[in-house]
Amino acid sequence: MSLFKPVLVTMRVVDMAVRAVLTFRLRALFVISAVGLGIASLTLIVAAVDGAQQRAREVVDRFGPEAAFILGGDIQSRAVGQRTLTLSWQDAETLRQSLPGAYMVVPMRAKRDVKLKYQSESVDLPVVVGATQNYADAWDWPLAEGRDLTRRDVDLGAKVGLIGNTPAHKLFGDKSPLGRTVFINDVPIQIVGLLSYRGGSTGGGGDLDDRLIIPLTTLTQRFNMDRKYFRALRVKFYDPQYMDAYAENLKSLLRHLHNLKPGEPDDFTILTPETILKFLSMLTGSLVAFLGVTATVAILVGGFVLANLFYLSVSERTQEIGLKKACGAKSRDIMIQFLAESVILTLAGAVLGVALGVGIGQALTSLGVLKIELSSRVLIYSLLAALVIGVLFGLRPARRAAAMNPIEALRGG
C-alpha cells in the first residue's frame, strides 16, 4: 500500500489541478491562446525546415548526382558589365575529348518569351532551349514519345524539336504531338519527341515542363544569335563519388582553355550537387534564423503571460491554499498542483498551436509562399516546448503557493 500511496496522492493532486483549470476558464483561455501562438510559430519553423530539406533533396535528385552544370560568367560576383557568353564550341569539344571521367557534354543556350503556334492556336512559351544531341539523357528526362535530338539534327540545323508536357497539353490536348509542325516566330519546327511530365519549377519559379528544345545550331541560326559561344554546358560523369575531383579537373581545364592567369577570377561558374546543397542549406539557415527569433519571442511572451496570470491566481486562491494545508496537504502537494495546472494549460496550448501552425502552413503552401513537410517531429518538439514553458514559467508561482503559511493564508494572506 505504501508503494501506491504517492501515486494515488499525485493522481488526486492532478485531478484537483484539472478541476481548477476548468473553474478558471477565462484565465485558462488567455494562457492557452498565448502559448498556442508561440507553439504555432515553432510548428511553422519545424515544418518549413523539413519542407526546405525535402525540396533540396528533390532538386539534387532532379539535377543528378553524377552531373555538373557550367554557366558562363561568375554568377556569385555578378559584376556590372560581366560577359556571360564565355563558353565556346572549342571548350565543349575539348571537355568531351580530354576531361577525365566525363562521358557526355551538352552545350545549351536559351531564347526566352516566344510565341508558339499550331494552326489557329498559340501559347506564350517561357523558354526555347537550344541543345545538342542526347538532351533527354543529359537531364535524365525520359521521353514519353518519339526520339531525342541527334548529331545529324545539330549538324544540319534541322527544324525539329522536343516539346514539354505543358505546351503539348495546351496545343494538342490528349492527342500525340509527334509529326506535327509548330511555329516559333514563324520558324516551323516538327515535333519529334515528347518529354514526359516532370513537375517542379525552374530556378525563377516557372513551370519546368513549359519548354521546347531544338538543336542549338537551329536556335542560333534562326534567332540570329552568336554562333561561337553559348550560355551553359551540361557534363555527366561516370562515377558520382569522384565529383570533387571531377569538378577540380573541370575548373583547371576551363581556366587553361580561357587563358586565365593565377589569381584572376573564373569567367564561368561550376554547379555540382554539393554546391547546390550548400546554397540551399544557406537559404534554410536564413529561414531558421528568421523564424527562430520570431518563435522564441512568441514563446517567451506566452511564458510571461502564463507566469503573470499564475501569480494573480495564487493571490486570489490564498484561502484555498490555506484550507488545503490545514487539511493536511503538504507544500510539495500544493506545488505539484500548481505545476500540473501550468503544464496542462501549456499542453493544451501546444495542441492549439500545432493545429494553428499546420493550418497557416497549408495556407502558405497553397499560395506557393512556403513548402512545409509535416512529420512527427512537429508534434514532439511542440509538446516538449510546451512542457518546458509550463515548468519553467510555472515553477516560481507554484513555489510561492507552496511556501504560504496556512494560518496567514486562511486569514486571506
Side-chain angles (χ1 to χ4, degrees), residues 197-240:
Y197 174 75
R198 194 161 213 187
S201 58
T202 62
D207 179 2
L208 198 60
D209 293 290
D210 203 359
R211 62 179 55 203
L212 182 76
I213 294 88
I214 63 176
L216 181 55
T217 47
T218 308
L219 182 79
T220 54
Q221 291 167 12
R222 301 298 169 182
F223 289 93
N224 197 26
M225 293 176 165
D226 191 318
R227 301 183 186 183
K228 182 179 179 183
Y229 295 96
F230 40 82
R231 184 71 174 89
L233 271 170
R234 171 84 167 175
V235 181
K236 294 190 78 173
F237 297 93
Y238 286 108
D239 196 339

Side-chain angles (χ1 to χ4, degrees), residues 89 107-111 114 116 128-133 147-162 181-192 212-230:
W89 285 100
M108 283 175 286
R109 193 165 181 189
K111 173 72 177 175
V114 299
L116 183 64
V128 175
V129 177
T132 56
Q133 63 273 21
R147 63 167 178 85
D148 204 343
L149 298 179
T150 64
R151 177 70 179 268
R152 181 179 171 81
D153 294 333
V154 178
D155 290 343
L156 296 177
K159 298 173 186 176
V160 296
L162 314 177
T181 300
V182 296
F183 288 83
I184 45 174
N185 292 4
D186 297 328
V187 177
I189 299 292
Q190 185 182 36
I191 302 301
V192 296
L212 182 76
I213 294 88
I214 63 176
L216 181 55
T217 47
T218 308
L219 182 79
T220 54
Q221 291 167 12
R222 301 298 169 182
F223 289 93
N224 197 26
M225 293 176 165
D226 191 318
R227 301 183 186 183
K228 182 179 179 183
Y229 295 96
F230 40 82

Side-chain angles (χ1 to χ4, degrees), residues 7-144:
V7 177
L8 293 174
V9 171
T10 302
M11 290 178 62
R12 187 177 177 188
V13 169
V14 171
D15 180 63
M16 294 172 71
V18 173
R19 292 173 184 274
V21 168
L22 295 176
T23 301
F24 300 96
R25 293 175 185 170
L26 184 59
R27 189 172 301 159
L29 182 62
F30 276 121
V31 174
I32 291 172
S33 300
V35 174
L37 289 175
I39 296 299
S41 303
L42 180 66
T43 301
L44 268 180
I45 287 179
V46 177
V49 170
D50 286 349
Q53 290 175 343
Q54 174 67 23
R55 181 67 179 273
R57 288 192 291 272
E58 290 174 0
V59 169
V60 171
D61 287 344
R62 187 176 297 138
F63 183 83
E66 78 288 22
F69 190 61
I70 303 101
L71 286 165
D74 186 348
I75 63 173
Q76 293 181 331
S77 67
R78 297 179 183 275
V80 177
Q82 178 185 215
R83 184 165 164 258
T84 56
L85 290 178
T86 61
L87 301 171
S88 67
W89 285 100
Q90 183 187 352
D91 293 338
E93 193 58 34
T94 305
L95 293 178
R96 195 176 285 126
Q97 294 179 357
S98 307
L99 183 62
Y103 70 92
M104 186 181 291
V105 178
V106 177
M108 283 175 286
R109 193 165 181 189
K111 173 72 177 175
R112 300 196 175 277
D113 300 323
V114 299
K115 186 74 76 176
L116 183 64
K117 298 179 181 177
Y118 175 69
Q119 296 180 349
S120 61
E121 300 291 329
S122 67
V123 295
D124 293 321
L125 196 65
V127 62
V128 175
V129 177
T132 56
Q133 63 273 21
N134 303 321
Y135 174 86
D137 285 342
W139 287 98
D140 300 318
W141 197 336
L143 289 164

